[in-house]
Amino acid sequence: MAVNLANKTFVVTGANAGLGLATSRALARAGATVVMGCRDPGRAAKAADVIRASVPEAKLDLQRLDLASLASVAAFAQEVTKRHTVVHGLVNNAGLMATGFGKTTDGFEIQLGVNHLGHFALTLQLRAALDAAPRARVVNVASSAHHGISAMRWDDLMWDRHTWWAVDKWRAYSQSKLANLLFTAGLHRRASNWTVCAAHPGYAATELQTTGVRDGGAWMEEKVMALLNRVVAQSGEDGAAPQIHAATADDVEGNAYFGPRNGMTGGGAVPHSRSAAARDDAAAERLWAVSEELTGQRW
Ligand SMILES: NC(=O)c1ccc[n+]([C@@H]2O[C@H](COP(=O)([O-])OP(=O)(O)OC[C@H]3O[C@@H](n4cnc5c(N)ncnc54)[C@H](OP(=O)(O)O)[C@@H]3O)[C@@H](O)[C@H]2O)c1
């Protein structure tokens, strides 16, 4: 990455592992101050050591963030705003996949709660700091898994009526990633002084594939996913290329969506197409209204 990000501050969620760690390292290497939003301080500290091993001059600010708690999101946003009056970039990267049907502290279905609603609340609460930048960049990390559902499940967003968890937990992930793209469109429409875009890595071997299914007790799926990670996936480093491009390239257009050049693995970042459901403006507006209602945050 040849860009110079000296004197710029970026916030990365889920910065201690996988794509978030690779993104934080790339931003730090380019000179940015990186606020690493992580839910586990011990894992955050280890990740910072990993970054400093290759970027000794890295400017890192480790802050606790649990996206499964609106109180934690608010405390994080407050602390970030206190410490950094200007935030030039926000990478809404943290996520979990296909875990069992848990709830966040605030009673949201866990995947929608962490992957979308937590990031929605965070972004709105960082608005002043993002507005203070000449043209802030916001990147939502989505997934090609958003193609796995034809629309938001409006009559049961929290999956209270899920029937067969082995299928529905994957559909719940798809819904949360569709929400990432609808949020991107809604935010792009409102934040005319920011560049708001989205990216997905294709398929990268990170902890994503095993953590969720393991936490949900699906040991067979965990073994299958671990095998696929070894034989099919690209590295987390390569997988992070589209979101790093989205966060740092000069010529990024609002509401752009980047993925790997070679389809699902590698080759850098190119624009990718999104599903019809993700291009549905009415759905984006409906999700915006529901998200404001659920999180208590208003634009
Ligand atoms: N890897 C892929 O092939 C792939 C494909 C498509 C999309 N994505 C997307 O890429 C993003 C990054 O995933 P990854 O592959 O890098 O997975 P990962 O290695 O599992 O990293 C996920 C990160 O999110 C954090 N996180 C999970 N729950 C959180 C919470 N409640 N509050 C705060 N942070 C939380 C994790 O923290 P802990 O370490 O504490 O668990 C970790 O730092 C996700 O949005 C995912 O949907 C990945």
Side-chain angles (χ1 to χ4, degrees):
M1 190 173 60
V3 290
N4 181 355
L5 301 178
N7 303 318
K8 299 219 164 134
T9 298
F10 280 71
V11 175
V12 180
T13 69
N16 62 280
L19 310 177
L21 174 56
T23 302
S24 300
R25 179 166 34 213
L27 294 170
R29 188 172 283 134
T33 297
V34 184
V35 181
M36 299 173 65
C38 307
R39 63 176 162 172
D40 180 325
R43 281 167 67 76
K46 277 191 192 143
D49 287 346
V50 169
I51 293 175
R52 290 202 179 97
S54 55
V55 189
E57 71 284 7
K59 296 188 279 292
L60 307 174
D61 181 9
L62 279 51
Q63 294 297 330
R64 188 153 195 280
L65 168 66
D66 181 358
L67 288 154
S69 156
L70 290 178
S72 173
V73 171
F76 174 80
Q78 211 171 22
E79 191 62 23
V80 170
T81 311
K82 204 167 77 190
R83 297 163 67 86
H84 309 275
T85 45
V86 184
V87 171
H88 300 82
L90 167 64
V91 184
N92 286 323
N93 161 83
L96 74 174
M97 176 173 82
T99 186
F101 276 102
K103 297 272 185 194
T104 67
T105 309
D106 307 282
F108 308 144
E109 185 279 317
I110 188 92
Q111 298 188 74
L112 189 69
V114 170
N115 298 358
H116 166 60
L117 291 167
H119 284 126
F120 178 91
L122 174 62
T123 307
L124 269 60
Q125 287 174 89
L126 289 181
R127 183 175 175 184
L130 289 159
D131 272 342
R135 186 164 191 90
R137 186 75 57 95
V138 176
V139 180
N140 295 318
V141 179
S143 169
S144 52
H146 83 271
H147 289 280
I149 195 158
S150 58
M152 297 296 291
R153 195 174 151 99
W154 296 116
D155 63 341
D156 186 24
L157 276 181
M158 303 302 166
W159 296 87
D160 292 326
R161 296 199 315 272
H162 65 269
T163 45
W164 186 34
W165 64 270
V167 169
D168 279 352
K169 68 182 184 183
W170 291 98
R171 294 177 65 218
Y173 178 67
S174 291
Q175 170 174 267
S176 74
K177 293 285 125 181
L178 173 58
N180 292 154
L181 290 172
L182 293 172
F183 173 43
T184 303
L187 188 61
H188 164 67
R189 203 163 301 125
R190 286 167 177 79
S192 54
N193 54 331
W194 307 349
T195 300
V196 180
C197 59
H200 80 96
Y203 184 7
T206 62
E207 296 173 24
L208 185 79
Q209 293 82 9
T210 45
T211 305
V213 289
R214 183 172 54 243
D215 289 354
W219 62 269
M220 187 54 121
E221 284 176 50
E222 184 189 348
K223 286 196 184 325
V224 172
M225 297 305 290
L227 178 67
L228 287 173
N229 269 9
R230 276 203 300 278
V231 296
V232 184
Q234 64 188 323
S235 68
E237 205 71 31
D238 288 344
Q243 65 198 62
I244 293 169
H245 176 84
T248 62
D250 280 338
D251 55 349
V252 171
E253 285 182 10
N255 209 22
Y257 178 44
F258 297 99
R261 182 176 300 278
N262 302 336
M264 287 300 279
T265 54
V270 292
H272 271 214
S273 60
R274 61 196 102 187
S275 68
R279 287 182 272 112
D280 180 340
D281 288 342
E285 287 311 299
R286 187 170 177 185
L287 180 65
W288 191 280
V290 170
S291 303
E292 284 196 341
E293 191 64 38
L294 289 171
T295 63
Q297 295 299 326
R298 314 257 160 216
W299 180 248

